[in-house]
Structures are given as structure tokens and as C-alpha cells.
Amino acid sequence: MSELYDLLIIGAGPGGLSAGIYGSRAKLKTAILDKNAEPGGQATTTEELENYPGFFNGSTGPGIMKKFAEHAKTFGTEFLRGTVDEVDFSGPVKKVHTQQGDTYESKVVILSPGANPRKINVKGEAELRGKGVSYCATCDADFFVDLDVVVVGNGDAAIEEAMYLTKFAATVTVIVIHEKGNLDCNKASAEKAMKNPKLKWVWNSTVEEIAGDELVEKVVLKNIDTGELSDLETNGVFVFIGTVPHTDFLKGKVDLDDRGYIITNDMMETNVPGVYGVGDARVKYLRQVVTAASDGAIASSAAEKYLSELETLQNDVLDVSKEKPVLLAFWAPQIQESIDSIAAVDKVVEGKNDQVGLVKLDTYRAKKTATQYKVDQIPTVVLFKDDKDVGRISGADNITPEAVEALLK
């Protein structure tokens, strides 16, 4: 069993590394757990990465990810090695188990397991990835200006990306497994694509092989009906048949959508308090290094506030309530009535510090605690005794010195 971390990040892609930077810089005890020896995730497979702000003119995915990792280490992020196969998020301390037999404990877990493009698994695909084989038009279209490329796939994403590629390439040939005119994408996109003069179509066919000496030079196509093989010269192959998130170990642990992607809000929070999701494995519009880095920064910042709330609740309320009653007052400075109500509570507690404790929480800054104790009206005063919520008064009209005295009795 390891020591207790404030922040444990599963996955060392750009989202996880960014979370590590922000977590460590905030003086949280932070570790990143990843199955690979070298951090960076899928970004390390991109030979040329020229759309991350500030990096261009020959920047590479591995090079940028190395900088991310060095940045995190500079602030004190610890790097751990292991493949996660089980997690337990049921308690205030989260437990993460690896296939190697290690167990790590943390107050907060940030999930950054990543997602991989679904591959067509043909000869030459792996060998020529980054050398003409791509899974991201936004990333790589600029490398194919005035060249000929092939798109594999015919769903919404494939056709959208194919049309995007026509802004750069001389021709874009779409390889479609269906009969002529039959596309899986929505009708509007299909009609628009059919009218694009730069788009060409090969129907009723699949890619059997991607070939080339160092760079992609051609694809070998197979006609489904006849079984006939034919060569099509091309400079690039873009595969768009979906992505696969690495979230099998999270089933039943956090909410996932029907494709297995982690569902979060705009603070990267999952449905489990203290567990966040970032990067390509999260439900989101754009999967890029820059958006993953943004996710990580947001998650760590939100986690820092979550931990601060937990510390205040535990140290100033729950622990103290074992010795004397504690009033926890939820208020909001922009609501005048709540200011007046807190003054009423102050009046009762004044001079009784040895008999009763008082903690005031701005609900805007302490949303987690307010949600945890089902505070749905501001102001609300909750009485704690022996580590438990034993009574409350809600509403400005009800929080009077007399009502507070009665609550204490």
C-alpha cells in the first residue's frame, strides 16, 4: 500500500500531464500513473505536431510531450508505472489497483486513460502511421496540400473530415463499403459531399493493404462483390471509423455514455465526488492536445477547491463537533438577507467559543459541501454534533437569534 496522495492521475497523455503540472504547482501531493515507460499518450505517435500554440516549424508530438513531462516533474509530480485494472471510488479515499499488484490511495482521482482511433488492421497501417497514415484531419491536413489522399469510412465524422481535407488536398477519394450512393452519414452531409468536385468515390470496396517505401505510395483495394484487387496511388490515408476509449475498468464506477466515454460537467467532474475525467476518453466536441491540456488544468483547479472544502469540513466542523456543537452557516455575500442572518448567528455564538463552534461557508466557493448536505436554500444553518448533521434552520425569515438558541438546545 502506498502513501496517501492528494491527487492521483490515471494516464500520462497531455490531459494527465497538464493536470499534474497544475496539481503539483498548487502544492498538492500529486502522482501520475501510466502503463507506458514514456509519458505522452497518443500524442507521442504524431511525428509532426504543428497546431499546438507556440510550437511549430518541425515540432513533434514526442518532443512536446517530453516538455509537458519535464514541466510536471519540475513542480514535483511523481511518475508511477502500472496498468490499472480495478478502482474503488466508494469512499472518501479512492483506491486504484494495478495488474502488477500495486494499490494506490488518493483523496482525488483524475481519469485520463485516453482513446485510440479504431484501426482497419491491414498490412502497412501500423508501419506507415505518421508517414502518410493519419487518424486526424485537423492535425495533419496541412501536410497534404495539393496531394492526393484517401479517406476510409463513410459515417458523419468521415464525411465531415473528407470535406475538410478538400481545402488542402488536390483530390480526396472516399472508400465506401456500401453500394453506390449509400452512405452512413446524415443525409444533409451526404448531399453536400456528393456535390463537392474534389471528392471522388470508390464504392463497394475495402482497403486490403497500405503500401509504400518510407511514405505511403498506394492502397490496395478489394471489390466486395467480385473479390478483385486493384491499386490506387495516393500520398495519404485518413482512417475515420471511430475511436475506442480505454474505459473498460471504469464500467459501473463512473457514468459512461453508450460508447464508453466518461461523462463530465464543465468542471470535469464525474458523477462521483472527487473523481474527474479529462482528455480523449471524455465526452467532448474536439479531441486535440490543446483541449486535453485545458481539461487537465480545469480538473486540477476544481480538485484543489474540492480538497480545500474537504479539509475545512473535516478539521473545522466534523472533528470539532466531537468535542462541542458546531454551527455550519451557508451564506452568499451577494444575498443581503443571508448577511443579516449570519449576523444573527454571530450574536448567539459571541462569547461562547468554548461552548459552540461557528464555521461560515460562502456557497459559491463551497458548492460541494452544500450539495453533500442537501442545502437548497440560502441562508441555511446546520448543527453538527458528534460528527453528524443533527438539525438545521433554512431561510432568512427563520434564522433568528431565538431560533438559533432553540436549535442549540
Side-chain angles (χ1 to χ4, degrees):
M1 191 75 68
S2 74
E3 54 192 311
L4 180 65
Y5 292 98
D6 294 319
L7 191 60
L8 179 63
I9 302 157
I10 299 176
L17 292 171
S18 174
I21 292 168
Y22 274 74
S24 294
R25 189 170 183 270
K27 305 303 180 184
L28 301 177
K29 184 171 178 55
T30 302
I32 298 176
L33 174 61
D34 192 78
K35 63 184 179 182
N36 298 313
E38 295 297 325
Q42 192 184 158
T44 60
T45 66
T46 304
E47 289 299 320
E48 296 181 73
L49 203 166
E50 297 185 334
N51 61 355
Y52 189 81
F55 290 83
F56 53 100
N57 291 342
S59 296
T60 67
I64 294 176
M65 289 302 97
K66 184 178 180 181
K67 291 287 188 183
F68 271 44
E70 289 173 350
H71 197 162
K73 288 176 183 176
T74 296
F75 286 125
T77 301
E78 184 179 347
F79 282 77
L80 308 170
R81 182 89 180 272
T83 302
V84 178
D85 63 355
E86 181 64 32
V87 293
D88 180 0
F89 298 152
S90 59
V93 173
K94 320 303 178 188
K95 297 180 180 180
V96 175
H97 308 280
T98 71
Q99 292 177 3
Q100 291 74 23
D102 297 312
T103 297
Y104 299 98
E105 294 187 337
S106 183
K107 299 173 187 177
V108 168
V109 170
I110 294 180
L111 302 168
S112 180
N116 277 341
R118 197 179 300 276
K119 300 177 177 62
I120 52 177
N121 294 317
V122 299
K123 182 180 178 182
E125 181 181 13
E127 294 81 357
L128 293 169
R129 179 170 181 169
K131 301 174 182 179
V133 174
S134 174
Y135 304 87
C136 177
T138 307
C139 311
D140 298 334
D142 191 47
F143 301 129
F144 295 90
V145 173
D146 295 331
L147 299 176
D148 300 310
V149 299
V150 160
V151 166
V152 181
N154 67 105
D156 286 337
I159 298 306
E160 180 180 327
E161 299 282 32
M163 288 191 287
Y164 177 79
L165 285 165
T166 61
K167 299 177 181 180
F168 302 85
T171 64
V172 179
T173 303
V174 184
I175 313 302
V176 186
I177 196 171
H178 306 305
E179 298 288 345
K180 183 175 182 178
N182 184 11
L183 298 175
D184 291 332
C185 67
N186 66 81
K187 187 176 180 180
S189 292
E191 291 177 352
K192 185 177 179 181
M194 292 294 185
K195 295 176 182 176
N196 191 315
K198 278 192 171 183
L199 282 179
K200 301 180 180 298
W201 307 88
V202 176
W203 304 98
N204 204 33
S205 298
T206 59
V207 175
E208 288 291 294
E209 181 184 346
I210 303 171
D213 183 14
E214 297 299 325
L215 296 173
V216 169
E217 297 173 5
K218 70 175 183 178
V219 290
V220 179
L221 304 179
K222 179 180 179 179
N223 184 283
I224 294 174
D225 282 342
T226 65
E228 180 183 356
L229 299 179
S230 61
D231 291 348
L232 175 64
E233 291 186 4
T234 187
N235 303 111
V237 179
F238 285 82
V239 180
F240 302 117
I241 56 174
T243 55
V244 182
H246 301 155
T247 56
D248 284 348
F249 71 98
L250 295 174
K251 290 177 180 176
K253 308 297 183 179
V254 298
D255 285 348
L256 307 175
D257 72 1
D258 56 3
R259 298 183 301 158
Y261 288 92
I262 303 166
I263 298 172
T264 73
N265 61 16
D266 58 1
M267 292 174 66
M268 307 301 135
E269 298 168 320
T270 69
N271 63 305
V272 178
V275 180
Y276 300 77
V278 305
D280 284 2
R282 184 175 78 86
V283 175
K284 62 194 300 186
Y285 172 70
L286 182 64
R287 292 182 171 87
Q288 294 278 280
V289 171
V290 69
T291 61
S294 171
D295 289 354
I298 292 169
S300 279
S301 297
E304 180 190 1
K305 290 180 174 57
Y306 168 81
L307 288 169
S308 177
E309 280 189 54
L310 282 185
E311 184 177 5
T312 297
L313 180 65
Q314 188 64 50
N315 296 344
D316 299 345
V317 179
L318 299 180
D319 288 349
V320 175
S321 75
K322 296 173 184 177
E323 301 174 2
K324 62 183 179 181
V326 177
L327 293 170
L328 180 57
F330 293 90
W331 71 297
Q334 67 270 30
I335 301 176
Q336 182 61 43
E337 294 86 348
S338 77
I339 298 175
D340 298 336
S341 297
I342 295 302
V345 180
D346 274 327
K347 185 176 181 181
V348 172
V349 175
E350 187 177 2
K352 300 180 180 178
N353 292 339
D354 57 335
Q355 303 170 33
V356 59
L358 173 62
V359 175
K360 292 175 274 190
L361 286 182
D362 177 349
T363 51
Y364 177 76
R365 298 179 181 275
K367 293 179 182 178
K368 293 289 179 303
T369 305
T371 300
Q372 180 178 346
Y373 289 100
K374 297 180 173 59
V375 174
D376 53 13
Q377 191 173 358
I378 302 301
T380 288
V381 177
V382 181
L383 175 63
F384 285 83
K385 180 63 179 167
D386 295 327
D387 210 10
K388 294 180 177 60
D389 164 9
V390 297
R392 68 180 58 200
I393 313 170
S394 296
D397 294 338
N398 298 322
I399 300 176
T400 64
E402 296 76 18
V404 175
E405 291 278 12
L407 179 64
L408 288 171
K409 292 177 181 178

